[in-house]
Amino acid sequence: MDNRFRDMVLLVKEWAKTHNINNPKYGTMNSYTLCLLIIFHFQTCVPAILPPLKEIYPGNIVDDLTGIRETAQARIAETCAANIRRFKEDKSRRVNRGTLSELFISFLAKFADIGVMASNQGISVYTGQWEDIETNTRWLPKTYALFVEDPFEQPENPARTVSNRSLERISQVFKESHRQLISAPSNRYAIIATLASPQISNFLASPEPPILPRNFGPRHQQTYRGGRPQQQFFRAPQPQTQFQQRHPYHPTPRYSPRTQFRHPNPMPDGHPSATQSPHQRPQSSQNRVQRSPRPRP
């Protein structure tokens, strides 16, 4: 529905991996939870970019997958496509034209206090708002540090792996990243270091390679890597065999018994033995050994 959603997902996942909050094995958020947080941010920003998911499909998809699965999936797809088309064609709604950087900074600011908000409320992208856990009977009893409802399998919680200690650290990462981005000087290297891992930061911060001439190839003595000329070392030429010396434009023959036992001093071209293979039998009867018949007893 909006092309900025894909870019936002890639940016948030890279940022979360950089700060070690995208690993459910260590009590942090998984990638699906991050995607739901982005959807919730797009639903609650002003003006909203995405509608609540109940306006796209009013029912529970898991419960409606009954009967023939292909027929049920086609019915759900038609309903979602019709509601999405109606949402896009609505001329009365305001259009959000925020850039990706503005959306990311507001995303960090919105969830900077997620540790405090999650103590009493949960995130529902189905309704597009924070909901009180005590008034929602589907979420009781509260046994998780963070509750993010799965819109496709209600009331499952994809953020059930987040622990209380990890939730505090996640909240601190949101706050610190937001503070660094809004107070950072006009130095793109410091901003990249906050958003990406050291490997990607070094790749993005490296100077651009120069424009090389068209005839630049491996025969040159220098090669450009990262904008700096470096000396390129070549292998020493291998000594040519006698066959290559006689035939400089002929490719090197493969290993075979005939080429292995080739005489080191071949005959000249006019000699009759030069065209005769050493494994070829003589055809003349003079070279054959005359055997006398064995006498009978």
Side-chain angles (χ1 to χ4, degrees), residues 169-183:
R169 188 169 65 87
I170 291 172
S171 180
Q172 291 296 329
V173 169
F174 273 96
K175 291 180 181 179
E176 185 65 22
S177 299
H178 180 262
R179 184 191 63 80
Q180 291 178 357
L181 291 180
I182 62 176
S183 62

Side-chain angles (χ1 to χ4, degrees), residues 98-115:
T99 61
L100 182 63
S101 58
E102 295 174 350
L103 292 174
F104 181 72
I105 292 177
S106 59
F107 172 80
L108 297 178
K110 180 175 296 183
F111 296 106
D113 296 331
I114 191 173

